[in-house]
Amino acid sequence: MESRSVTVSSPATIANLVCGFDILGLALQEPYDLMTVKLISEPVIRISNTDSFGLPTDPAQNVAGAVLKAVMETCKRDIGFEVSMEKRIKPGSGIGSSAASAAAAAVAANQLLDGLFTTQELISLAMEGEKLASGSRHADN
């Protein structure tokens, strides 16, 4: 397999807009996260961080890891991913830090897999990351 990688910029979001609470939302220009994902032929997920937030690198405890695990289970290919994350959205800030990681992982994996997933499938995959972060599958960001 040819080794390929993609870098995704994923923005902070606000989804709690007055009467449209969790229905209306918008992406912010800043802050945003950067995630580089590399497709590998070994069925593992390796995560490294280039920031100082100290988020887990264990895929079972990392939002991006949960999404990429779901990608691997769904596509049923003998693949894996190496991820380098630079969080610029402070975790726990209320502006979609976990959603940015989940969305970036889903979009990056889809790009590396030549657009295998539909938009609805990408949302469902990203919701696996939100389930890890908050205990429930939701797509409010």
Side-chain angles (χ1 to χ4, degrees), residues 19-61:
C19 61
F21 182 75
D22 284 352
I23 296 172
L24 302 174
L26 57 97
L28 304 176
Q29 186 171 350
E30 290 184 0
Y32 58 89
D33 290 346
L34 290 175
M35 181 181 295
T36 299
V37 180
K38 181 178 179 182
L39 184 65
I40 59 174
S41 58
E42 185 181 358
V44 297
I45 300 167
R46 295 186 188 103
I47 299 173
S48 63
N49 299 311
T50 62
D51 54 59
S52 60
F53 291 119
L55 293 177
T57 57
D58 177 354
Q61 297 176 1

Side-chain angles (χ1 to χ4, degrees), residues 62-137:
N62 186 291
V63 170
V67 173
L68 295 172
K69 179 181 179 218
V71 166
M72 291 166 64
E73 291 170 351
T74 303
C75 75
K76 297 180 172 82
R77 296 183 187 173
D78 197 23
I79 58 166
F81 298 97
E82 290 181 355
V83 181
S84 175
M85 298 173 51
E86 181 182 342
K87 294 293 291 175
R88 296 180 179 180
I89 305 169
K90 182 180 178 186
S93 61
I95 55 174
S97 176
S98 60
S101 293
V107 168
N110 197 45
Q111 181 70 30
L112 292 168
L113 296 171
D114 300 319
L116 177 66
F117 301 109
T118 66
T119 299
Q120 282 302 119
E121 290 169 326
L122 289 175
I123 292 169
S124 182
L125 290 165
M127 288 170 62
E128 288 300 316
E130 287 295 87
K131 180 179 177 183
L132 177 66
S134 68
S136 68
R137 289 174 45 89

